[in-house]
Amino acid sequence: MTYTAAFDVGTTQVKAVLVDDQGSARVCASSGFLPIDTGDGRIEQNPEDWLQAFIEMSRDLLSRAGRSIEHFKSDQVTGIIMSGQMQDLIALDAQGQPVGPAILYADGRAEEESAELAEIYGVESFRTHVGNPCDGSLPVTKLMWMSRHQPDRYAQVRHVLIDAKDYLIWWLTGAYCGDVTACSTAGAMDLRSRTWRRDILKAAGLDAAIFPKLCWPWESVGSSTPGASAATGFAPGTTVYAGMGDAGASTLGGGVFHSGQFNINLGTSGWIATVTDRAVTDRPGMVNLAYLGTDSIINTVPFLNAGNVHAWATGVFAGGSPTKGDDDPYQRMGHLLESSPAGARGVICLPYLVGERFPMMNPSIRGAYVGISPETEACDLARAALEGVSYSIRQGLDLMGTPIERVTLIGGGTREPQWCQMLADILDAPVQVLDDAHLMPAVALAQLVSVGKQTSSSSQPDLQALEELVEANLVGRVYSPDDANRHVYDVGYNRFRRLYPALDSLR
């Protein structure tokens, strides 16, 4: 038996899972929380923190495997593949060492530079080629910012990487590369040809030579060096694959291969992802990413308000003094949700606590309740908050314009069964909450390796076989819509859609 070690290099922690050739997760491990520097409006991380967490999780994973898998040896791990946070600016010097901290995806400091690039290159031309708007969070515009505001640092840059995992791949193999999904967020990759657009880089005043080699997720990009193997415990020469940016890996792990299949992430913020054969560039807020083939594009809707609303409502309505036998505020929140009927007795919540990106882009809008009456109770306000997020997700799906075939759910919000049922009712579609959803992106990448072993490292794997393997491992509870709630939620949704236009003028 051989195994693939798969990793997810996130903003908050590094997760690892060992997957066998049948696509089953055998052992997993997670790091402690990673530090983030948010001082002075920055959002940065030290790449060395990713590396130390990766080394620790590699050794922990192998140690756990040795204890739980009979006769396990480290040389049975024949492949390493990773997903990671995308849209980062990771600047390296000639020796591959970080030139200062990585500037993360959520850091939008380069608004002036993005406006300048859009003017030089053309707003519509940029969107047509890149598939996404030009803004200050793109690595290309942040590199322009660095050249102007940190010229000494910029002068040392010889390599640029876009995804946190790619720094670890360089450390493992010495290869400077990036997968086409993650590099879709760089601001200079042609979404159709999957090549760097030198005309964009020229307009930005950047050298194309510093950008990484573009690879498909299944491509072998090198092997673990003796030094890296000594640090991690993996055998020297272990194959390392290009892997995939986190949104792509989550889409794959959610079983999304065709139009009509959707994956919804209920993290602190969240996203809706589906797959079509074209970039959707006429709807503000949508992000388009390269996927598994030249005619396969992820259309994703990132939204700012999801689990943060759940946490806020739990703290406000269920965060009081614990009662005997009920000391978990999230458990109390569940009881509150059960106590309010569908529709929250007529209360509607606009859940935009921190502005919103979709279904409208408005960083200044804030949340509100409408419809409070003498009959309104705390449980109704709690329920209305999560119904508001669910209505917003429905509005996003409506704007995407694709009929729902299947919905899979991931993220911390899936631990609240009342919310999952609410989504099924409001979307009027079955939703499946995947077991071990936090591991599914990494597991799906390991499954990609398993299928890819049947072809050469550079050839596209059998995507039908991959789909069948991923589908076979989509295990989890299915919530079916309750027909009794359809009318009340249709009425509530129509009211919700009128709420934002009415309240926006009150800012």
Side-chain angles (χ1 to χ4, degrees), residues 148-168:
R148 295 172 182 182
H149 296 272
Q150 298 175 341
D152 292 342
R153 179 182 175 190
Y154 179 75
Q156 302 175 59
V157 177
R158 296 297 179 272
H159 304 279
V160 168
L161 300 175
I162 309 301
D163 188 302
K165 68 172 174 60
D166 295 331
Y167 178 70
L168 305 182

Side-chain angles (χ1 to χ4, degrees), residues 160-458:
V160 168
L161 300 175
I162 309 301
D163 188 302
K165 68 172 174 60
D166 295 331
Y167 178 70
L168 305 182
I169 289 174
W170 167 82
W171 180 82
L172 282 166
T173 69
Y176 297 100
C177 63
D179 71 280
V180 293
T181 301
C183 289
S184 300
T185 67
M189 191 192 85
D190 190 290
L191 193 60
R192 280 296 177 189
S193 66
R194 270 67 161 176
T195 58
W196 294 117
R197 289 204 63 94
R198 292 178 177 271
D199 53 352
I200 292 179
L201 295 174
K202 182 178 180 180
L206 303 175
D207 182 1
I210 68 175
F211 283 77
K213 176 186 176 183
L214 292 169
C215 300
W216 291 103
W218 53 81
E219 285 190 72
S220 168
V221 296
S223 57
S224 179
T225 65
S229 293
T232 60
F234 295 117
T238 301
T239 301
V240 179
Y241 297 88
M244 202 175 202
D246 56 3
S250 293
T251 302
L252 180 62
V256 179
F257 289 86
H258 308 290
S259 179
Q261 298 174 339
F262 293 89
N263 178 245
I264 299 176
N265 177 24
L266 296 177
T268 301
S269 56
W271 68 69
I272 307 166
T274 191
V275 174
T276 65
D277 60 358
R278 67 192 186 282
V280 179
T281 59
D282 59 349
R283 294 164 202 174
M286 290 198 69
V287 175
N288 299 284
L289 306 170
Y291 196 35
L292 296 175
T294 55
D295 60 349
S296 180
I297 293 176
I298 301 171
N299 310 131
T300 182
V301 174
F303 49 96
L304 298 180
N305 296 278
N308 62 323
V309 177
H310 186 207
W312 170 80
T314 298
V316 171
F317 302 114
S321 299
T323 57
K324 186 176 181 180
D326 189 17
D327 58 357
D328 180 355
Y330 283 96
Q331 187 177 22
R332 293 198 298 275
M333 180 66 169
H335 295 328
L336 285 174
L337 296 173
E338 287 179 328
S339 301
S340 178
R345 296 188 179 92
V347 178
I348 297 287
C349 175
L350 191 73
Y352 304 148
L353 302 184
V354 291
E356 192 46 271
R357 293 181 63 177
F358 202 88
M360 79 294 299
M361 186 174 290
N362 187 336
S364 301
I365 190 68
R366 291 296 181 265
Y369 281 100
V370 170
I372 296 174
S373 72
E375 288 73 38
T376 300
E377 301 177 18
C379 61
D380 302 318
L381 298 174
R383 185 179 187 92
L386 297 191
E387 287 181 344
V389 176
S390 304
Y391 287 140
S392 187
I393 291 172
R394 175 173 168 178
Q395 191 172 12
L397 285 166
D398 284 352
L399 289 171
M400 293 176 87
T402 303
I404 297 174
E405 174 188 315
R406 182 180 70 199
V407 176
T408 53
L409 292 182
I410 60 173
T414 61
R415 291 194 290 268
E416 175 48 71
Q418 293 292 321
W419 196 3
C420 298
Q421 183 61 55
M422 199 183 296
L423 271 166
D425 291 347
I426 288 175
L427 300 181
D428 194 26
V431 299
Q432 183 177 21
V433 177
L434 301 178
D435 292 346
D436 298 321
H438 64 294
L439 297 177
M440 287 307 297
V443 170
L445 288 179
Q447 292 166 347
L448 177 63
V449 170
S450 296
V451 172
K453 286 178 180 179
Q454 303 169 20
T455 61
S456 69
S457 62
S458 60

Side-chain angles (χ1 to χ4, degrees), residues 101-184:
I103 305 176
L104 301 193
Y105 56 93
D107 189 315
R109 68 180 68 179
E111 286 299 332
E112 290 185 10
E113 288 73 18
S114 68
E116 179 182 327
L117 178 58
E119 183 177 356
I120 294 171
Y121 193 78
V123 172
E124 291 306 315
S125 293
F126 189 94
R127 191 186 295 266
T128 297
H129 293 303
V130 175
N132 298 304
C134 185
D135 66 45
S137 68
L138 300 177
V140 161
T141 58
K142 286 185 282 203
L143 193 57
M144 293 172 64
W145 179 93
M146 184 189 294
S147 71
R148 295 172 182 182
H149 296 272
Q150 298 175 341
D152 292 342
R153 179 182 175 190
Y154 179 75
Q156 302 175 59
V157 177
R158 296 297 179 272
H159 304 279
V160 168
L161 300 175
I162 309 301
D163 188 302
K165 68 172 174 60
D166 295 331
Y167 178 70
L168 305 182
I169 289 174
W170 167 82
W171 180 82
L172 282 166
T173 69
Y176 297 100
C177 63
D179 71 280
V180 293
T181 301
C183 289
S184 300

Side-chain angles (χ1 to χ4, degrees), residues 6 15-19 25-30 57 60-62 64-65 67-68 436 438-439 443:
K15 296 187 283 287
V17 60
L18 196 66
V19 181
R26 299 293 299 275
V27 180
C28 62
S30 297
M57 288 307 96
D60 189 16
L61 189 72
L62 294 174
R64 291 169 184 258
R67 294 194 300 269
S68 61
D436 298 321
H438 64 294
L439 297 177
V443 170

